[in-house]
Amino acid sequence: MDQNIKQAITKGETSLGIEFGSTRIKAVLIDQRFETIASGSYEWENLLADGYWTYNLAEIIKGLQAAYSEMKQEVERKYGVTLRTIGSIGFSAMMHGYMAFDSTGELLVPFRTWRNATTGAAAKELTDKFQFNIPERWSIAHLYQAILNKEQHVPRIDFVTTLAGFIHWLLTGNKAIGIGDASGMFPIDEATQDYNEAMVKQFEELIAGKGYSLKLKDIFPKVYTAGEQAGVLTEAGVKILDPSENLQPGIPLCPPEGDAGTGMVATNSVRKRTGNISVGTSVFAMIVLENELSTVYPEIDMVTTPNGSPVGMVHANNCSSDINAWLGLFREFAEAAGQKVDTAQLYSVMFNKALEADPDGGGLLSYGYLSGENITGIEKGRPLFVRSPESNFNLANFMRTHLFTAFAALKIGMDILTKKENVAIDSILAHGGLFKTPIVGQKIVAAALNVPVSVMATAGEGGAWGMAILASYMMNKAGQERLDDFLDGKVFSNAQGQEIYPDGSDVKGFETFMERYTKGLAIEQAAVDNLVENWRN
């Protein structure tokens, strides 16, 4: 047993981060070396109720308690101490969405998550009004859509917040929100580090014309930046978080944040001119900007880092699913031939073949659209692979083409930032399962974005760890030490990572592929128009 860790736990020289993800609630307790000393989790799923994707309020509390309890039990098992104090706590959750309460604290309608695509009319009207991109999942779009729908609960609204903001309010009594999470509720003014005053006025004038007198500053949580204290754990909060009441009240809480912000912290991507790219079923990149964009782009969401710097976010719906499906087919072939193939070996062999390919993928073309793709305007999923008789059809080019297409829609959005807006990017940190095979994925992303790409060992730590880091920053920063300096100098000072620079022929090859990809979107649209979903029937 590590006596130093036991002593740190007893003295409260720890920080706790709890993040509510879309499929898992995770609690991570770290020490002052920023290493995880205990964790706990709770699996959950959203449900469709009355036409809205939601999570049951009782399960939100149950999941919070279960994740905390499992972490607490691990502390007792590993270190032989009962958790009675913690140096600092922070909560984070999937961003956006809509939780509206009346003056008694009653939830007026079930929590409406980011996944709901029910606010199209509101989002479009507000985007036009503000001349600022308002995505459908933002809280203000949900609120305005409820007004447009003349929903009965609207006149009773006293408080609107996000999931992370709700948990924080429940445990502290303070209606607070971190600036990163706030930037998914309403546009933020970087100069004031608060909701954009001019747009607040525009919104209030807009709804006054419809007979509503809501004041955003009254019903939205107060905005805090990273490093500020946003409340303390109350006695009532203790009873919710730790029903055994071993934990003592009075523990300071940092501002609650969104999962985008904790992802930036966990990948050390909060400094201007840096960014991170997260790869999975979907893919998104977040670039910390030096300046505001010159105009509105529907392909780019504007949010902020936890310390208030503007961030351009490009999100594509499709990434690795079609690659996984094709590799499943190759696995079937191997097994039919009597060869048992290890998954890691299968991916390693196939991915590395892409390094032997023609720079542009040999004239092949693929769209891995299992679902519609917002950036290219394709409404439904039709995975498609196509070639001409002149294409150089071999395994290396086949794999390179599928890796290229995984990042092609993202590249369209990123090109807006780098080519139209001349955004400078010094480095990007990539994380996700696609990078488990060394070098290959990094080389592809470096070629797509024409920027150095790193993969760090710590990138897999996740958002709950990132939230614990934000809680630690509040307590352990030196004076006015900036968040990016704290991360560089303390948290990531010994982080191991490998950086790959773009290869000139790869970059040129990707550009050639993108010309083919852009022209071929008409083929993909034809597949949507003519390949009906139940064609076998």
Side-chain angles (χ1 to χ4, degrees):
M1 187 197 306
D2 189 326
Q3 287 297 327
N4 290 335
I5 294 178
K6 182 176 179 178
Q7 190 175 41
I9 293 167
T10 305
K11 288 184 172 181
E13 295 170 350
T14 54
S15 295
L16 173 65
I18 299 183
E19 181 156 289
F20 291 72
S22 55
T23 60
R24 184 171 64 157
I25 302 168
K26 188 172 183 183
V28 169
L29 187 70
I30 64 171
D31 61 16
Q32 290 188 320
R33 296 173 299 174
F34 316 108
E35 292 177 1
T36 299
I37 54 179
S39 64
S41 65
Y42 177 80
E43 305 292 322
W44 69 341
E45 282 290 344
N46 56 189
L47 54 107
L48 191 61
D50 299 324
Y52 291 97
W53 289 104
T54 188
Y55 293 87
N56 184 284
L57 193 60
E59 193 174 19
I60 292 172
I61 306 303
K62 179 184 175 185
L64 170 68
Q65 292 173 342
Y68 177 83
S69 175
E70 190 175 281
M71 180 276 299
K72 177 186 173 187
Q73 287 170 24
E74 187 175 330
V75 168
E76 290 174 354
R77 189 171 64 252
K78 288 171 69 174
Y79 308 108
V81 291
T82 297
L83 198 56
R84 300 188 185 280
T85 188
I86 297 168
S88 54
I89 301 175
F91 295 97
S92 55
M94 48 197 137
M95 284 177 70
H96 321 299
Y98 180 73
M99 297 189 84
F101 301 86
D102 68 11
S103 57
T104 70
E106 180 188 346
L107 185 65
L108 293 170
V109 291
F111 168 38
R112 295 173 181 176
T113 77
W114 62 273
R115 192 176 180 186
N116 289 290
T118 53
T119 64
K124 184 178 187 309
E125 188 176 337
L126 291 176
T127 296
D128 292 343
K129 183 81 174 173
F130 297 158
Q131 283 302 292
F132 186 101
N133 186 30
I134 304 294
E136 292 182 5
R137 57 187 181 274
W138 280 23
S139 305
I140 194 64
H142 282 278
L143 173 60
Y144 189 50
Q145 191 65 54
I147 289 170
L148 293 179
N149 295 347
K150 297 183 170 62
E151 293 188 39
Q152 291 182 347
H153 77 273
V154 174
R156 293 174 57 198
I157 290 174
D158 183 69
F159 181 43
V160 173
T161 191
T162 64
L163 178 55
F166 164 65
I167 298 294
H168 185 94
W169 175 45
L170 200 62
L171 299 190
T172 66
N174 192 22
K175 295 176 178 176
I177 194 160
I179 194 166
D181 204 10
S183 71
M185 293 188 73
F186 195 87
I188 294 291
D189 182 339
E190 187 186 7
T192 63
Q193 302 278 279
D194 204 349
Y195 305 116
N196 185 296
E197 195 62 51
M199 294 179 194
V200 167
K201 188 176 179 184
Q202 283 180 299
F203 180 79
E204 290 173 355
E205 288 173 354
L206 179 66
I207 64 170
K210 301 180 186 301
Y212 294 92
S213 58
L214 294 171
K215 299 295 182 188
L216 282 188
K217 287 294 182 75
D218 293 340
I219 65 170
F220 272 16
K222 182 184 174 185
V223 178
Y224 290 75
T225 54
E228 293 185 293
Q229 185 173 319
V232 298
L233 184 66
T234 62
E235 288 188 15
V238 167
K239 290 175 182 175
I240 295 167
L241 180 63
D242 182 21
S244 70
E245 297 184 52
N246 293 135
L247 198 63
Q248 300 302 300
I251 297 167
L253 269 75
C254 70
E257 263 302 345
D259 53 357
T262 60
M264 284 184 259
V265 171
T267 56
N268 193 20
S269 307
V270 301
R271 192 179 292 280
K272 289 178 186 285
R273 297 169 66 110
T274 68
N276 74 88
I277 177 169
S278 178
V279 174
T281 303
S282 63
V283 58
F284 64 85
M286 307 191 71
I287 309 301
V288 188
L289 307 175
E290 293 179 285
N291 305 295
E292 296 281 341
L293 301 183
S294 65
T295 189
V296 179
Y297 299 100
E299 300 90 348
I300 298 170
D301 297 354
M302 290 299 301
V303 291
T304 80
T305 64
N307 57 333
S309 295
V311 173
M313 178 178 180
V314 180
H315 182 277
N317 292 344
N318 299 278
C319 185
S320 61
S321 296
D322 199 38
I323 294 173
N324 295 338
W326 278 108
L327 292 191
L329 193 72
F330 285 112
R331 178 198 295 281
E332 278 190 56
F333 166 74
E335 291 176 351
Q339 302 294 319
K340 188 73 176 171
V341 181
D342 174 73
T343 299
Q345 183 190 16
L346 173 68
Y347 276 76
S348 178
V349 168
M350 297 297 283
F351 277 27
N352 276 288
K353 287 299 290 185
L355 301 182
E356 303 170 16
D358 297 328
D360 73 328
L364 309 180
L365 182 58
S366 166
Y367 297 93
Y369 291 5
L370 258 75
S371 67
E373 186 49 71
N374 55 304
I375 287 180
T376 53
I378 303 294
E379 292 188 358
K380 293 180 181 178
R382 295 293 185 273
L384 184 70
F385 175 74
V386 63
R387 63 190 175 99
S388 73
E390 293 79 27
S391 300
N392 185 12
F393 185 39
N394 59 33
L395 186 59
N397 283 333
F398 180 85
M399 284 308 301
R400 190 176 188 86
T401 295
H402 280 90
L403 286 166
F404 271 5
T405 201
F407 299 102
L410 181 82
K411 179 173 171 59
I412 291 171
M414 289 296 293
D415 278 355
I416 291 171
L417 291 177
T418 57
K419 295 180 179 179
K420 288 189 179 179
E421 293 287 331
N422 298 312
V423 169
I425 306 170
D426 292 336
S427 63
I428 283 185
L429 194 139
H431 50 113
L434 189 140
F435 301 105
K436 286 180 181 176
T437 300
I439 300 175
V440 183
Q442 272 178 274
K443 278 182 70 72
I444 298 295
V445 174
L449 306 183
N450 197 17
V451 66
V453 174
S454 298
V455 173
M456 252 187 236
T458 51
E461 292 281 6
W465 181 76
M467 193 65 234
I469 295 294
L470 284 171
S472 179
Y473 169 66
M474 174 184 69
M475 299 304 292
N476 298 311
K477 67 183 187 299
Q480 297 300 308
E481 185 178 20
R482 291 159 45 103
L483 177 60
D484 46 11
D485 292 334
F486 180 82
L487 294 175
D488 280 345
K490 293 175 180 172
V491 182
F492 293 96
S493 58
N494 297 313
Q496 299 297 310
Q498 181 182 28
E499 188 171 51
I500 287 181
Y501 282 76
D503 177 278
S505 74
D506 285 345
V507 173
K508 191 173 179 183
F510 206 110
E511 293 288 353
T512 302
F513 171 81
M514 285 304 300
E515 291 174 21
R516 188 159 64 246
Y517 181 92
T518 306
K519 286 181 181 176
L521 284 168
I523 309 170
E524 177 66 19
Q525 185 61 55
V528 172
D529 295 340
N530 296 289
L531 183 63
V532 296
E533 279 155 299
N534 295 315
W535 62 274
R536 287 179 296 181
N537 299 334

